[in-house]
Amino acid sequence: MAGEISFFELGVADADKARSFYRELFGWSFTPGPSAGGGYAIETPNVAGGVHSGDPRAAPYLFFKVEDMTAARERVIALGGTVDDFDLGEDEATVARFGRFTFCRDDQGSPFGLHEPPS
C-alpha cells in the first residue's frame, strides 16, 4: 500500500459558505461534487479534496492512498482494525471521477479513511 495522503474531506454546516471561505483563504478551486444536499470537489495544488454540508464542526477526514481497496480492507481487519459498514453510494460515474472510499478505524479505534483513486 502506498500510504500517502490521497484525499481530504471537510464536513461543514453549509458547503456554499465553506467554498467562499476556503477559496478566499487558500485560493482553492471548487466544482460541484456528488454529495446529496450540496457539496463540492476541491482542487488544491497537491491533494484533491471535497466538502459536504450537514456535518457542522466535523474534524477533517483524511484518506490514505491504496492501490487495491479490497486488499487494503482485508489488511486493516487482519491487523485488528475495523472497516465501517457504510454505503457511500458509489455509482460508476462517481467512481470514475473520484475513486473509491472506505472509512476505517485502527486497532485502537482511531478513525481514518482509505482512497483508491480512479483508474
Side-chain angles (χ1 to χ4, degrees):
M1 287 192 259
E4 68 263 17
I5 295 175
S6 178
F7 193 88
F8 69 94
E9 180 77 17
L10 303 174
V12 298
D14 184 319
D16 290 324
K17 285 184 175 181
R19 176 184 61 174
S20 296
F21 179 86
Y22 288 105
R23 181 174 39 211
E24 291 300 317
L25 182 64
F26 297 128
W28 292 346
S29 298
F30 293 77
T31 57
S35 297
Y40 297 95
I42 303 171
E43 298 171 30
T44 76
N46 52 4
V47 177
V51 62
H52 63 272
S53 294
D55 200 0
R57 297 190 178 133
Y61 299 106
L62 293 179
F63 292 86
F64 299 97
K65 182 179 180 180
V66 298
E67 300 300 325
D68 179 338
M69 184 62 76
T70 301
R73 290 169 59 107
E74 291 171 358
R75 185 77 175 135
V76 167
I77 293 166
L79 292 170
T82 60
V83 175
D84 291 357
D85 186 21
F86 182 75
D87 180 10
L88 296 176
E90 297 176 336
D91 59 56
E92 282 186 42
T94 300
V95 170
R97 183 173 173 198
F98 299 104
R100 298 186 190 287
F101 296 88
T102 297
F103 294 114
C104 303
R105 293 187 179 269
D106 67 18
D107 62 346
Q108 298 180 66
S110 295
F112 66 97
L114 300 176
H115 176 224
E116 180 183 323
S119 305

